[in-house]
Amino acid sequence: MQMFIEKPKVVAEIGCNHKGDFEIAKEMIKVAANIGADAVKFQKRNNRELLGNEGYNKPHPNPANSYGKTYGEHREFLEFDLEQHRELKAYCESLGIVYSTSVWDVTSAKEISSLNPQFIKIPSASNLHFEMLGYLCEYFTGQVQLSFGMTTKEEEEAIVCFFEERGRAKDLLLYSCTSGYPVPFEDICLLEIVRMKEAYGQRVGAIGFSGHHLGIAADVAAMTLGAEWIERHFTLDRTWKGTDHAASLEPDGMRRLCRDIKNVYKALRYKSSEILPIEAVQREKLKWKNQ
């Protein structure tokens, strides 16, 4: 019997949770691969291009989480260069897990595109950066995954139309997302997945769910509502310095998420016969028989 949805995939978003340490990044890839994640995702920014001089030189809004004297220095500390990303991609491939990266600006999009990853992610903050989207539509042949956090319905439509006009809408995956760290349950708004599937399900490649909440119950529910990709921030230790760790899953949480998503997917089906083989023995043994 046909499933409701395609087999779901889980993306462990490492982002900048590696704290700028290349060996920690590699360890996080290894752990994610061992606990069943389908992909890992990093981030790439050209901070001068993205922030401008004023944004680059201002202080971090939360100094306790800063790795530099200015916000720009903080962001530079957490950046890996293109050759390091190339090495991370090769390491992922050696472990059988998919490598990807979020890109925030045109320069980063060009750099990561040159690595030919399976997919590139557009964060909610950059989903109206049409110059960058246009570059990816023209020069990147893989899937583009894009989050709809802090985005109006009018802006959503403009993004989808942009990809349709360039013949790339079927290569587009849209994530239902609430931009907050962490997000309280009442603000997750899971039924947005249903709305997005109704509005865009026939127009784009797939609909997913990108969560910044606590626990894993909402992710399983998202999958049952039709999300084909589940993306969650991932860390080795939620007490580490940084803004994303508090809304991230530690290894055991990510392991449980991967397990539960894949097990519940197996359960999302109709009975293949009125009496399943597993029931037949019990029916013979227990079922009341009218004489």
PDB file of all heavy atoms in Angstrom, residues 221-255:
ATOM      1  N   ALA A 221       5.622  14.613  14.762  1.00  0.00           N
ATOM      2  CA  ALA A 221       4.325  15.101  14.304  1.00  0.00           C
ATOM      3  C   ALA A 221       4.449  15.776  12.948  1.00  0.00           C
ATOM      4  O   ALA A 221       3.587  15.612  12.077  1.00  0.00           O
ATOM      5  CB  ALA A 221       3.737  16.069  15.328  1.00  0.00           C
ATOM      6  N   ALA A 222       5.531  16.540  12.748  1.00  0.00           N
ATOM      7  CA  ALA A 222       5.746  17.215  11.462  1.00  0.00           C
ATOM      8  C   ALA A 222       5.834  16.206  10.329  1.00  0.00           C
ATOM      9  O   ALA A 222       5.285  16.416   9.240  1.00  0.00           O
ATOM     10  CB  ALA A 222       7.024  18.060  11.524  1.00  0.00           C
ATOM     11  N   MET A 223       6.505  15.109  10.578  1.00  0.00           N
ATOM     12  CA  MET A 223       6.631  14.078   9.554  1.00  0.00           C
ATOM     13  C   MET A 223       5.280  13.463   9.216  1.00  0.00           C
ATOM     14  O   MET A 223       4.956  13.223   8.054  1.00  0.00           O
ATOM     15  CB  MET A 223       7.620  13.011  10.024  1.00  0.00           C
ATOM     16  CG  MET A 223       7.990  11.988   8.962  1.00  0.00           C
ATOM     17  SD  MET A 223       6.939  10.537   9.028  1.00  0.00           S
ATOM     18  CE  MET A 223       7.487   9.815  10.566  1.00  0.00           C
ATOM     19  N   THR A 224       4.434  13.250  10.233  1.00  0.00           N
ATOM     20  CA  THR A 224       3.124  12.667   9.960  1.00  0.00           C
ATOM     21  C   THR A 224       2.224  13.638   9.197  1.00  0.00           C
ATOM     22  O   THR A 224       1.274  13.217   8.536  1.00  0.00           O
ATOM     23  CB  THR A 224       2.411  12.235  11.260  1.00  0.00           C
ATOM     24  OG1 THR A 224       2.092  13.383  12.040  1.00  0.00           O
ATOM     25  CG2 THR A 224       3.274  11.283  12.067  1.00  0.00           C
ATOM     26  N   LEU A 225       2.527  14.940   9.276  1.00  0.00           N
ATOM     27  CA  LEU A 225       1.764  15.939   8.531  1.00  0.00           C
ATOM     28  C   LEU A 225       2.274  16.124   7.102  1.00  0.00           C
ATOM     29  O   LEU A 225       1.686  16.874   6.335  1.00  0.00           O
ATOM     30  CB  LEU A 225       1.809  17.293   9.266  1.00  0.00           C
ATOM     31  CG  LEU A 225       1.050  17.350  10.593  1.00  0.00           C
ATOM     32  CD1 LEU A 225       1.332  18.662  11.303  1.00  0.00           C
ATOM     33  CD2 LEU A 225      -0.449  17.179  10.367  1.00  0.00           C
ATOM     34  N   GLY A 226       3.359  15.433   6.767  1.00  0.00           N
ATOM     35  CA  GLY A 226       3.830  15.462   5.395  1.00  0.00           C
ATOM     36  C   GLY A 226       5.199  16.046   5.167  1.00  0.00           C
ATOM     37  O   GLY A 226       5.640  16.159   4.019  1.00  0.00           O
ATOM     38  N   ALA A 227       5.912  16.429   6.224  1.00  0.00           N
ATOM     39  CA  ALA A 227       7.277  16.941   6.048  1.00  0.00           C
ATOM     40  C   ALA A 227       8.203  15.806   5.631  1.00  0.00           C
ATOM     41  O   ALA A 227       8.294  14.796   6.329  1.00  0.00           O
ATOM     42  CB  ALA A 227       7.773  17.577   7.342  1.00  0.00           C
ATOM     43  N   GLU A 228       8.875  15.982   4.500  1.00  0.00           N
ATOM     44  CA  GLU A 228       9.737  14.925   3.967  1.00  0.00           C
ATOM     45  C   GLU A 228      11.188  15.078   4.399  1.00  0.00           C
ATOM     46  O   GLU A 228      11.980  14.143   4.249  1.00  0.00           O
ATOM     47  CB  GLU A 228       9.641  14.908   2.444  1.00  0.00           C
ATOM     48  CG  GLU A 228       8.248  14.563   1.958  1.00  0.00           C
ATOM     49  CD  GLU A 228       8.110  14.647   0.454  1.00  0.00           C
ATOM     50  OE1 GLU A 228       9.138  14.578  -0.250  1.00  0.00           O
ATOM     51  OE2 GLU A 228       6.972  14.799  -0.035  1.00  0.00           O
ATOM     52  N   TRP A 229      11.554  16.242   4.889  1.00  0.00           N
ATOM     53  CA  TRP A 229      12.881  16.483   5.452  1.00  0.00           C
ATOM     54  C   TRP A 229      12.686  17.109   6.833  1.00  0.00           C
ATOM     55  O   TRP A 229      11.848  17.991   7.002  1.00  0.00           O
ATOM     56  CB  TRP A 229      13.695  17.441   4.586  1.00  0.00           C
ATOM     57  CG  TRP A 229      14.143  16.864   3.273  1.00  0.00           C
ATOM     58  CD1 TRP A 229      13.365  16.534   2.198  1.00  0.00           C
ATOM     59  CD2 TRP A 229      15.485  16.565   2.890  1.00  0.00           C
ATOM     60  NE1 TRP A 229      14.133  16.050   1.174  1.00  0.00           N
ATOM     61  CE2 TRP A 229      15.445  16.065   1.571  1.00  0.00           C
ATOM     62  CE3 TRP A 229      16.726  16.685   3.527  1.00  0.00           C
ATOM     63  CZ2 TRP A 229      16.589  15.675   0.876  1.00  0.00           C
ATOM     64  CZ3 TRP A 229      17.868  16.298   2.834  1.00  0.00           C
ATOM     65  CH2 TRP A 229      17.800  15.798   1.535  1.00  0.00           C
ATOM     66  N   ILE A 230      13.464  16.656   7.805  1.00  0.00           N
ATOM     67  CA  ILE A 230      13.448  17.207   9.154  1.00  0.00           C
ATOM     68  C   ILE A 230      14.852  17.734   9.437  1.00  0.00           C
ATOM     69  O   ILE A 230      15.829  16.972   9.398  1.00  0.00           O
ATOM     70  CB  ILE A 230      13.065  16.151  10.209  1.00  0.00           C
ATOM     71  CG1 ILE A 230      11.722  15.496   9.859  1.00  0.00           C
ATOM     72  CG2 ILE A 230      13.060  16.764  11.598  1.00  0.00           C
ATOM     73  CD1 ILE A 230      10.533  16.408   9.915  1.00  0.00           C
ATOM     74  N   GLU A 231      14.939  19.017   9.748  1.00  0.00           N
ATOM     75  CA  GLU A 231      16.229  19.641  10.019  1.00  0.00           C
ATOM     76  C   GLU A 231      16.258  20.128  11.468  1.00  0.00           C
ATOM     77  O   GLU A 231      15.352  20.836  11.906  1.00  0.00           O
ATOM     78  CB  GLU A 231      16.430  20.825   9.068  1.00  0.00           C
ATOM     79  CG  GLU A 231      17.720  21.605   9.311  1.00  0.00           C
ATOM     80  CD  GLU A 231      17.790  22.862   8.459  1.00  0.00           C
ATOM     81  OE1 GLU A 231      17.198  23.892   8.871  1.00  0.00           O
ATOM     82  OE2 GLU A 231      18.416  22.814   7.397  1.00  0.00           O
ATOM     83  N   ARG A 232      17.294  19.727  12.205  1.00  0.00           N
ATOM     84  CA  ARG A 232      17.459  20.173  13.591  1.00  0.00           C
ATOM     85  C   ARG A 232      18.907  20.551  13.862  1.00  0.00           C
ATOM     86  O   ARG A 232      19.831  19.888  13.396  1.00  0.00           O
ATOM     87  CB  ARG A 232      17.049  19.058  14.570  1.00  0.00           C
ATOM     88  CG  ARG A 232      15.562  18.776  14.621  1.00  0.00           C
ATOM     89  CD  ARG A 232      14.731  19.933  15.152  1.00  0.00           C
ATOM     90  NE  ARG A 232      15.178  20.402  16.446  1.00  0.00           N
ATOM     91  CZ  ARG A 232      14.779  19.892  17.617  1.00  0.00           C
ATOM     92  NH1 ARG A 232      13.930  18.864  17.634  1.00  0.00           N
ATOM     93  NH2 ARG A 232      15.213  20.402  18.754  1.00  0.00           N
ATOM     94  N   HIS A 233      19.084  21.602  14.644  1.00  0.00           N
ATOM     95  CA  HIS A 233      20.430  21.969  15.091  1.00  0.00           C
ATOM     96  C   HIS A 233      20.997  20.841  15.955  1.00  0.00           C
ATOM     97  O   HIS A 233      20.278  20.199  16.727  1.00  0.00           O
ATOM     98  CB  HIS A 233      20.391  23.262  15.886  1.00  0.00           C
ATOM     99  CG  HIS A 233      20.286  24.491  15.033  1.00  0.00           C
ATOM    100  ND1 HIS A 233      21.386  25.196  14.611  1.00  0.00           N
ATOM    101  CD2 HIS A 233      19.217  25.136  14.522  1.00  0.00           C
ATOM    102  CE1 HIS A 233      21.000  26.236  13.885  1.00  0.00           C
ATOM    103  NE2 HIS A 233      19.682  26.209  13.802  1.00  0.00           N
ATOM    104  N   PHE A 234      22.315  20.657  15.837  1.00  0.00           N
ATOM    105  CA  PHE A 234      22.991  19.534  16.484  1.00  0.00           C
ATOM    106  C   PHE A 234      24.232  20.051  17.203  1.00  0.00           C
ATOM    107  O   PHE A 234      24.959  20.896  16.674  1.00  0.00           O
ATOM    108  CB  PHE A 234      23.376  18.505  15.413  1.00  0.00           C
ATOM    109  CG  PHE A 234      24.193  17.341  15.913  1.00  0.00           C
ATOM    110  CD1 PHE A 234      23.736  16.551  16.961  1.00  0.00           C
ATOM    111  CD2 PHE A 234      25.408  17.025  15.335  1.00  0.00           C
ATOM    112  CE1 PHE A 234      24.479  15.473  17.415  1.00  0.00           C
ATOM    113  CE2 PHE A 234      26.156  15.944  15.772  1.00  0.00           C
ATOM    114  CZ  PHE A 234      25.693  15.173  16.811  1.00  0.00           C
ATOM    115  N   THR A 235      24.451  19.574  18.424  1.00  0.00           N
ATOM    116  CA  THR A 235      25.633  19.944  19.199  1.00  0.00           C
ATOM    117  C   THR A 235      26.120  18.738  19.982  1.00  0.00           C
ATOM    118  O   THR A 235      25.350  17.789  20.217  1.00  0.00           O
ATOM    119  CB  THR A 235      25.329  21.107  20.164  1.00  0.00           C
ATOM    120  OG1 THR A 235      26.540  21.492  20.834  1.00  0.00           O
ATOM    121  CG2 THR A 235      24.283  20.724  21.202  1.00  0.00           C
ATOM    122  N   LEU A 236      27.353  18.775  20.382  1.00  0.00           N
ATOM    123  CA  LEU A 236      27.863  17.734  21.272  1.00  0.00           C
ATOM    124  C   LEU A 236      27.583  18.060  22.730  1.00  0.00           C
ATOM    125  O   LEU A 236      27.603  17.171  23.581  1.00  0.00           O
ATOM    126  CB  LEU A 236      29.377  17.545  21.064  1.00  0.00           C
ATOM    127  CG  LEU A 236      29.816  17.087  19.671  1.00  0.00           C
ATOM    128  CD1 LEU A 236      31.323  16.868  19.644  1.00  0.00           C
ATOM    129  CD2 LEU A 236      29.082  15.823  19.233  1.00  0.00           C
ATOM    130  N   ASP A 237      27.306  19.342  23.021  1.00  0.00           N
ATOM    131  CA  ASP A 237      27.083  19.752  24.413  1.00  0.00           C
ATOM    132  C   ASP A 237      26.269  21.041  24.419  1.00  0.00           C
ATOM    133  O   ASP A 237      26.738  22.092  23.974  1.00  0.00           O
ATOM    134  CB  ASP A 237      28.434  19.974  25.104  1.00  0.00           C
ATOM    135  CG  ASP A 237      28.311  20.227  26.604  1.00  0.00           C
ATOM    136  OD1 ASP A 237      27.229  20.644  27.064  1.00  0.00           O
ATOM    137  OD2 ASP A 237      29.316  20.017  27.319  1.00  0.00           O
ATOM    138  N   ARG A 238      25.045  20.986  24.939  1.00  0.00           N
ATOM    139  CA  ARG A 238      24.157  22.154  24.931  1.00  0.00           C
ATOM    140  C   ARG A 238      24.633  23.263  25.856  1.00  0.00           C
ATOM    141  O   ARG A 238      24.130  24.385  25.786  1.00  0.00           O
ATOM    142  CB  ARG A 238      22.725  21.737  25.300  1.00  0.00           C
ATOM    143  CG  ARG A 238      22.082  20.827  24.267  1.00  0.00           C
ATOM    144  CD  ARG A 238      20.666  20.420  24.643  1.00  0.00           C
ATOM    145  NE  ARG A 238      19.760  21.559  24.611  1.00  0.00           N
ATOM    146  CZ  ARG A 238      19.076  22.005  25.658  1.00  0.00           C
ATOM    147  NH1 ARG A 238      19.206  21.410  26.833  1.00  0.00           N
ATOM    148  NH2 ARG A 238      18.273  23.030  25.534  1.00  0.00           N
ATOM    149  N   THR A 239      25.609  22.988  26.714  1.00  0.00           N
ATOM    150  CA  THR A 239      26.128  24.024  27.614  1.00  0.00           C
ATOM    151  C   THR A 239      27.298  24.785  27.008  1.00  0.00           C
ATOM    152  O   THR A 239      27.809  25.723  27.636  1.00  0.00           O
ATOM    153  CB  THR A 239      26.578  23.423  28.965  1.00  0.00           C
ATOM    154  OG1 THR A 239      27.741  22.600  28.772  1.00  0.00           O
ATOM    155  CG2 THR A 239      25.467  22.602  29.590  1.00  0.00           C
ATOM    156  N   TRP A 240      27.725  24.418  25.814  1.00  0.00           N
ATOM    157  CA  TRP A 240      28.844  25.118  25.190  1.00  0.00           C
ATOM    158  C   TRP A 240      28.499  26.581  24.913  1.00  0.00           C
ATOM    159  O   TRP A 240      27.324  26.951  24.765  1.00  0.00           O
ATOM    160  CB  TRP A 240      29.221  24.446  23.872  1.00  0.00           C
ATOM    161  CG  TRP A 240      30.136  23.262  24.034  1.00  0.00           C
ATOM    162  CD1 TRP A 240      30.749  22.838  25.174  1.00  0.00           C
ATOM    163  CD2 TRP A 240      30.530  22.350  23.003  1.00  0.00           C
ATOM    164  NE1 TRP A 240      31.509  21.720  24.911  1.00  0.00           N
ATOM    165  CE2 TRP A 240      31.389  21.410  23.591  1.00  0.00           C
ATOM    166  CE3 TRP A 240      30.242  22.251  21.641  1.00  0.00           C
ATOM    167  CZ2 TRP A 240      31.977  20.377  22.865  1.00  0.00           C
ATOM    168  CZ3 TRP A 240      30.823  21.225  20.914  1.00  0.00           C
ATOM    169  CH2 TRP A 240      31.680  20.296  21.522  1.00  0.00           C
ATOM    170  N   LYS A 241      29.525  27.396  24.770  1.00  0.00           N
ATOM    171  CA  LYS A 241      29.369  28.811  24.447  1.00  0.00           C
ATOM    172  C   LYS A 241      28.839  28.977  23.031  1.00  0.00           C
ATOM    173  O   LYS A 241      29.351  28.368  22.089  1.00  0.00           O
ATOM    174  CB  LYS A 241      30.735  29.496  24.592  1.00  0.00           C
ATOM    175  CG  LYS A 241      30.776  30.959  24.218  1.00  0.00           C
ATOM    176  CD  LYS A 241      32.198  31.483  24.442  1.00  0.00           C
ATOM    177  CE  LYS A 241      32.341  32.905  23.971  1.00  0.00           C
ATOM    178  NZ  LYS A 241      33.705  33.426  24.244  1.00  0.00           N
ATOM    179  N   GLY A 242      27.819  29.823  22.887  1.00  0.00           N
ATOM    180  CA  GLY A 242      27.237  30.070  21.575  1.00  0.00           C
ATOM    181  C   GLY A 242      25.729  30.192  21.669  1.00  0.00           C
ATOM    182  O   GLY A 242      25.105  29.703  22.628  1.00  0.00           O
ATOM    183  N   THR A 243      25.114  30.824  20.673  1.00  0.00           N
ATOM    184  CA  THR A 243      23.681  31.130  20.740  1.00  0.00           C
ATOM    185  C   THR A 243      22.788  29.977  20.308  1.00  0.00           C
ATOM    186  O   THR A 243      21.607  29.941  20.670  1.00  0.00           O
ATOM    187  CB  THR A 243      23.367  32.356  19.868  1.00  0.00           C
ATOM    188  OG1 THR A 243      23.842  32.121  18.540  1.00  0.00           O
ATOM    189  CG2 THR A 243      24.032  33.605  20.414  1.00  0.00           C
ATOM    190  N   ASP A 244      23.303  29.024  19.532  1.00  0.00           N
ATOM    191  CA  ASP A 244      22.451  27.970  18.966  1.00  0.00           C
ATOM    192  C   ASP A 244      22.392  26.703  19.804  1.00  0.00           C
ATOM    193  O   ASP A 244      21.520  25.861  19.587  1.00  0.00           O
ATOM    194  CB  ASP A 244      22.937  27.599  17.562  1.00  0.00           C
ATOM    195  CG  ASP A 244      22.637  28.680  16.541  1.00  0.00           C
ATOM    196  OD1 ASP A 244      21.855  29.594  16.858  1.00  0.00           O
ATOM    197  OD2 ASP A 244      23.193  28.620  15.435  1.00  0.00           O
ATOM    198  N   HIS A 245      23.316  26.542  20.750  1.00  0.00           N
ATOM    199  CA  HIS A 245      23.394  25.267  21.471  1.00  0.00           C
ATOM    200  C   HIS A 245      22.124  24.959  22.255  1.00  0.00           C
ATOM    201  O   HIS A 245      21.692  23.810  22.324  1.00  0.00           O
ATOM    202  CB  HIS A 245      24.607  25.269  22.409  1.00  0.00           C
ATOM    203  CG  HIS A 245      25.916  25.354  21.700  1.00  0.00           C
ATOM    204  ND1 HIS A 245      26.454  24.291  21.011  1.00  0.00           N
ATOM    205  CD2 HIS A 245      26.774  26.382  21.547  1.00  0.00           C
ATOM    206  CE1 HIS A 245      27.610  24.658  20.475  1.00  0.00           C
ATOM    207  NE2 HIS A 245      27.820  25.931  20.778  1.00  0.00           N
ATOM    208  N   ALA A 246      21.510  25.999  22.838  1.00  0.00           N
ATOM    209  CA  ALA A 246      20.334  25.778  23.680  1.00  0.00           C
ATOM    210  C   ALA A 246      19.165  25.201  22.895  1.00  0.00           C
ATOM    211  O   ALA A 246      18.308  24.507  23.460  1.00  0.00           O
ATOM    212  CB  ALA A 246      19.916  27.080  24.358  1.00  0.00           C
ATOM    213  N   ALA A 247      19.100  25.481  21.594  1.00  0.00           N
ATOM    214  CA  ALA A 247      18.012  24.973  20.750  1.00  0.00           C
ATOM    215  C   ALA A 247      18.467  23.787  19.906  1.00  0.00           C
ATOM    216  O   ALA A 247      17.850  23.468  18.896  1.00  0.00           O
ATOM    217  CB  ALA A 247      17.486  26.087  19.853  1.00  0.00           C
ATOM    218  N   SER A 248      19.541  23.134  20.320  1.00  0.00           N
ATOM    219  CA  SER A 248      20.115  22.021  19.552  1.00  0.00           C
ATOM    220  C   SER A 248      19.900  20.697  20.275  1.00  0.00           C
ATOM    221  O   SER A 248      19.704  20.661  21.488  1.00  0.00           O
ATOM    222  CB  SER A 248      21.624  22.245  19.353  1.00  0.00           C
ATOM    223  OG  SER A 248      21.887  23.440  18.672  1.00  0.00           O
ATOM    224  N   LEU A 249      19.960  19.621  19.516  1.00  0.00           N
ATOM    225  CA  LEU A 249      19.909  18.276  20.077  1.00  0.00           C
ATOM    226  C   LEU A 249      21.319  17.773  20.322  1.00  0.00           C
ATOM    227  O   LEU A 249      22.198  17.917  19.469  1.00  0.00           O
ATOM    228  CB  LEU A 249      19.188  17.322  19.133  1.00  0.00           C
ATOM    229  CG  LEU A 249      17.703  17.574  18.883  1.00  0.00           C
ATOM    230  CD1 LEU A 249      17.183  16.599  17.838  1.00  0.00           C
ATOM    231  CD2 LEU A 249      16.899  17.447  20.168  1.00  0.00           C
ATOM    232  N   GLU A 250      21.527  17.163  21.464  1.00  0.00           N
ATOM    233  CA  GLU A 250      22.780  16.464  21.731  1.00  0.00           C
ATOM    234  C   GLU A 250      22.730  15.094  21.059  1.00  0.00           C
ATOM    235  O   GLU A 250      21.684  14.685  20.542  1.00  0.00           O
ATOM    236  CB  GLU A 250      22.996  16.352  23.243  1.00  0.00           C
ATOM    237  CG  GLU A 250      23.306  17.689  23.903  1.00  0.00           C
ATOM    238  CD  GLU A 250      23.521  17.577  25.400  1.00  0.00           C
ATOM    239  OE1 GLU A 250      22.946  16.644  26.017  1.00  0.00           O
ATOM    240  OE2 GLU A 250      24.249  18.418  25.962  1.00  0.00           O
ATOM    241  N   PRO A 251      23.846  14.355  21.041  1.00  0.00           N
ATOM    242  CA  PRO A 251      23.867  13.091  20.291  1.00  0.00           C
ATOM    243  C   PRO A 251      22.741  12.125  20.618  1.00  0.00           C
ATOM    244  O   PRO A 251      22.143  11.541  19.706  1.00  0.00           O
ATOM    245  CB  PRO A 251      25.240  12.513  20.646  1.00  0.00           C
ATOM    246  CG  PRO A 251      26.101  13.730  20.801  1.00  0.00           C
ATOM    247  CD  PRO A 251      25.212  14.731  21.486  1.00  0.00           C
ATOM    248  N   ASP A 252      22.397  11.943  21.904  1.00  0.00           N
ATOM    249  CA  ASP A 252      21.342  10.981  22.204  1.00  0.00           C
ATOM    250  C   ASP A 252      19.992  11.480  21.705  1.00  0.00           C
ATOM    251  O   ASP A 252      19.165  10.683  21.234  1.00  0.00           O
ATOM    252  CB  ASP A 252      21.266  10.699  23.706  1.00  0.00           C
ATOM    253  CG  ASP A 252      20.362   9.514  24.011  1.00  0.00           C
ATOM    254  OD1 ASP A 252      20.598   8.415  23.456  1.00  0.00           O
ATOM    255  OD2 ASP A 252      19.391   9.691  24.777  1.00  0.00           O
ATOM    256  N   GLY A 253      19.759  12.781  21.786  1.00  0.00           N
ATOM    257  CA  GLY A 253      18.520  13.326  21.250  1.00  0.00           C
ATOM    258  C   GLY A 253      18.428  13.164  19.749  1.00  0.00           C
ATOM    259  O   GLY A 253      17.361  12.808  19.209  1.00  0.00           O
ATOM    260  N   MET A 254      19.524  13.397  19.038  1.00  0.00           N
ATOM    261  CA  MET A 254      19.525  13.224  17.589  1.00  0.00           C
ATOM    262  C   MET A 254      19.357  11.755  17.221  1.00  0.00           C
ATOM    263  O   MET A 254      18.666  11.413  16.257  1.00  0.00           O
ATOM    264  CB  MET A 254      20.819  13.791  16.993  1.00  0.00           C
ATOM    265  CG  MET A 254      20.891  13.751  15.482  1.00  0.00           C
ATOM    266  SD  MET A 254      19.618  14.726  14.638  1.00  0.00           S
ATOM    267  CE  MET A 254      20.176  16.402  14.994  1.00  0.00           C
ATOM    268  N   ARG A 255      19.978  10.870  18.003  1.00  0.00           N
ATOM    269  CA  ARG A 255      19.819   9.425  17.754  1.00  0.00           C
ATOM    270  C   ARG A 255      18.350   9.024  17.891  1.00  0.00           C
ATOM    271  O   ARG A 255      17.808   8.290  17.057  1.00  0.00           O
ATOM    272  CB  ARG A 255      20.674   8.629  18.742  1.00  0.00           C
ATOM    273  CG  ARG A 255      20.533   7.113  18.600  1.00  0.00           C
ATOM    274  CD  ARG A 255      21.218   6.379  19.739  1.00  0.00           C
ATOM    275  NE  ARG A 255      20.606   6.669  21.033  1.00  0.00           N
ATOM    276  CZ  ARG A 255      19.491   6.083  21.468  1.00  0.00           C
ATOM    277  NH1 ARG A 255      18.859   5.193  20.712  1.00  0.00           N
ATOM    278  NH2 ARG A 255      19.012   6.378  22.661  1.00  0.00           N
TER     279      ARG A 255
END
